[in-house]
Amino acid sequence: MKKIQVISLFPEMFDGVFRTSMMWKAQKEGAVEFRCHNLRDYGIGPRQQVDDTPYGGGDGMLLKPEPLFAAVEAAKEYDPTAKVVLMTPRGARWKQATAQAWSESEVGYIFICGRYEGYDERIVSLVNEQVSVGDYVLTGGELPAMTIIDSIVRLLPGVLGGEASAEIESFSDGETLEFPQYTKPAEFRGMKVPDVLLSGHHAQIQKWRQEHSLKADS
Ligand code: ADE
């Protein structure tokens, strides 16, 4: 059972995603367990402060270290061997091969979702991996974390439902992206399904699919 935890100021953002479709199925089948920690619960003082102004001046507020350290410690109590992942546009670009590796690994993951203008750099000392979903800046790490979690969970054994789907998507090496697919009707508003796909000729269909697949990173 894969343990996936999230630390966020907006844990309710994950409700819909975790309760729908593949993610919901994965939990019901016991392939994964999700836990969300509200960073605010670890905030300091009567106002449960989680951010503060930067030393040296500058605009905006930074996430303070103490609440994040406390939240990670709480998450590690539940899963002591978990790897801690910081969502940041400065991180390594997320790839399908990494999703595959993390879905196969024995360890759980704790995703820290940053917010606001940034975080105190000492937070990095808590972290095993820094991950970005692309060269653009989002308001927070929640959407990137959902993207990454989805890409891992759907690869957990038994989740995708049938080895055939995995095969169709990735021709074994994980390097090849999906080919175009069609369903009924064979003709719709003048647009026809390629003849070869209606032919029933398996070798030719396989060849067509290979020719029409996109290569990763192209
Ligand atoms: N937080 C804000 N932007 C991000 C990005 N592109 N990837 C990961 N985390 C982020």
Side-chain angles (χ1 to χ4, degrees):
M1 158 101 69
K2 190 67 134 194
K3 288 179 178 158
I4 291 187
Q5 302 187 78
V6 169
I7 297 170
S8 165
L9 278 169
F10 300 96
E12 66 277 8
M13 284 181 73
F14 291 83
D15 289 350
V17 172
F18 286 167
R19 287 195 194 147
T20 313
S21 179
M22 208 72 95
M23 304 277 248
W24 181 242
K25 188 178 161 233
Q27 289 169 86
K28 277 198 304 188
E29 288 180 358
V32 68
E33 191 168 86
F34 296 123
R35 222 170 241 223
C36 286
H37 304 265
N38 191 338
L39 185 59
R40 183 70 60 190
D41 293 343
Y42 303 90
I44 293 164
R47 292 179 51 241
Q48 294 182 290
Q49 188 186 352
V50 294
D51 58 357
D52 217 329
T53 52
Y55 279 122
D59 288 336
M61 303 285 273
L62 306 179
L63 290 178
K64 294 168 71 61
E66 310 94 307
L68 263 164
F69 272 67
V72 168
E73 279 155 18
K76 284 229 170 161
E77 252 173 58
Y78 169 64
D79 187 5
T81 60
K83 293 251 182 287
V84 180
V85 186
L86 180 63
M87 307 312 306
T88 163
R90 289 193 293 176
R93 178 79 64 87
W94 187 249
K95 292 209 159 33
Q96 182 66 22
T98 325
Q100 187 79 48
W102 289 23
S103 75
E104 284 167 10
S105 83
E106 294 293 316
V107 295
Y109 295 93
I110 300 165
F111 292 91
I112 300 178
C113 304
R115 271 270 151 180
Y116 305 144
E117 286 78 11
Y119 45 82
D120 184 296
E121 193 64 25
R122 287 169 288 190
I123 284 164
V124 172
S125 70
L126 277 174
V127 165
N128 301 107
E129 308 276 352
Q130 299 187 49
V131 175
S132 165
V133 289
D135 291 339
Y136 42 84
V137 179
L138 297 162
T139 321
E142 284 80 5
L143 292 170
M146 288 178 210
T147 301
I148 284 167
I149 292 167
D150 184 285
S151 73
I152 296 168
V153 168
R154 63 191 291 283
L155 295 176
L156 292 172
V159 175
L160 200 58
E163 299 310 309
S165 313
E167 219 174 277
I168 283 170
E169 274 175 51
S170 65
F171 293 124
S172 69
D173 61 0
E175 291 281 297
T176 315
L177 300 181
E178 235 175 281
F179 43 77
Q181 296 193 82
Y182 300 86
T183 183
K184 295 175 195 74
E187 184 174 343
F188 173 69
R189 297 197 179 180
M191 296 176 282
K192 288 187 174 161
V193 175
D195 284 338
V196 59
L197 299 180
L198 310 174
S199 70
H201 192 296
H202 288 303
Q204 276 175 21
I205 291 170
Q206 197 61 20
K207 185 162 168 278
W208 184 91
R209 287 179 164 172
Q210 248 151 39
E211 285 167 3
H212 289 79
S213 294
L214 294 169
K215 288 283 175 202
D217 292 322
S218 66

